[in-house]
Amino acid sequence: MTRSVGIVIHKVVPSFRLAVARFQYNMASKMYSHQGYKFINCGYADMEGDHKAVDFNRPENVYVLWESLYQRVVGQAELSGREVLEVGCGRGGGSEYLMTRLKPRSLTAVDLSDVAIARCKENYRLDGLSFQVGNACALPFEDRRFDVVVNIESSHCYPSQLTFFEEVKRVLKPGGAFCFADITESAEHTARINEEFKALGFTVVHHENITANVVKALNVVKETPQFTEAFERWESPNKKGNMKVPLMVINGTLKDLNSGKEYQRWVVRREEATERPVAGEQARAAAAMA
């Protein structure tokens, strides 16, 4: 099979894309099983900050760039005392941060990778925090379950972003908030997401292009010896000396963001109860009447 045919299949066959994503993240979880490797997403750096003065070897500073991204994405939403869902939790560091720093009543974290979820269950045991395997385009929860849904740098792997957004709306309570961030292919892709939110009845509370902040954070990680040393410590012993996956991903992401792709974040709110039902709710209502 030629590369071009493979690309076409990857784009048009959702089940194939899902299987590839699961395989990739399962392999990454196996290669980097160390508890210290908590994040696989990009970070966020203040454009005015001097990160050369930061000692990233200090325990309180190791994850500051990644934690800053989470804080920036959820900054316009209230999590304290709320029922929160994180979709695409990855290695669980973001879920731990949200639970310990922002104090939701409960936080349910899901990911497609069963290996990643097993690691999360092993590494994080906090009251109110739970992990389970779940498909973002078919979330295993009842309608109107959560006050806040968080999704950071994961949706670009999904078979359909629009289907995911529909699922988010379904599981959000009326008035609930969706905190979302990801890399978009272009300004046109960003505009399409805004239109999809509008069509689904979401109100955009905040929208921000944070490409420059993410690029700065990636460069800080790439250029700081402490992080190279940390990635080597975190790599599984049986993989020592092989490809340095985190640094390869950083270089690839920097290339993307310097070539026209953008890193955007949104906080949107589901309308109150007077809105029309989303597709999943319509289907269930029809089935109940049959």
Side-chain angles (χ1 to χ4, degrees), residues 33-230:
S33 58
H34 194 283
Q35 186 175 0
Y37 189 21
K38 293 185 175 185
F39 296 88
I40 55 175
N41 54 275
C42 300
Y44 178 94
D46 188 332
M47 297 306 294
E48 305 302 321
D50 179 13
H51 290 85
K52 291 183 179 180
V54 178
D55 181 1
F56 289 106
N57 280 321
R58 295 180 63 85
E60 66 271 23
N61 294 335
V62 173
Y63 305 109
V64 67
L65 295 171
W66 293 280
E67 291 172 346
S68 294
L69 178 64
Y70 268 81
Q71 183 61 56
R72 189 74 180 184
V73 172
V74 304
Q76 277 74 32
E78 178 61 57
L79 270 63
S80 178
R82 305 295 179 85
E83 304 284 347
V84 177
L85 170 67
E86 183 181 11
V87 181
C89 64
R91 305 187 70 88
S95 301
E96 180 196 39
Y97 172 80
L98 294 176
M99 193 71 207
T100 56
R101 301 290 183 87
L102 302 183
K103 308 297 183 184
R105 180 185 304 129
S106 70
L107 194 153
T108 304
V110 302
D111 197 272
L112 185 63
S113 169
D114 54 301
V115 177
I117 289 298
R119 299 282 186 208
C120 289
K121 288 181 177 179
E122 180 180 344
N123 293 337
Y124 307 107
R125 300 182 182 183
L126 300 170
D127 289 342
L129 176 61
S130 62
F131 296 91
Q132 67 182 82
V133 176
N135 180 348
C137 293
L139 292 170
F141 305 106
E142 65 271 21
D143 295 356
R144 305 182 181 192
R145 162 79 181 276
F146 298 99
D147 299 296
V148 181
V149 176
V150 178
N151 181 253
I152 296 180
E153 204 176 314
S154 178
S155 71
H156 62 276
C157 296
Y158 303 163
S160 168
Q161 270 189 329
L162 178 58
T163 300
F164 168 56
F165 295 157
E166 290 173 342
E167 280 291 275
V168 170
K169 182 177 180 181
R170 180 182 66 79
V171 302
L172 269 177
K173 297 175 183 177
F178 177 33
C179 304
F180 171 65
D182 210 341
I183 296 171
T184 61
E185 295 294 321
S186 61
E188 291 75 17
H189 183 193
T190 299
R192 185 170 72 248
I193 289 174
N194 275 315
E195 288 302 312
E196 288 173 346
F197 285 149
K198 181 179 178 181
L200 287 169
F202 284 109
T203 299
V204 176
V205 176
H206 194 86
H207 174 214
E208 181 183 20
N209 184 331
I210 57 172
T211 304
N213 304 90
V214 171
V215 167
K216 180 176 180 179
L218 290 170
N219 279 318
V220 169
V221 173
K222 180 181 175 181
E223 296 165 4
T224 303
Q226 291 97 318
F227 287 116
T228 303
E229 295 164 3

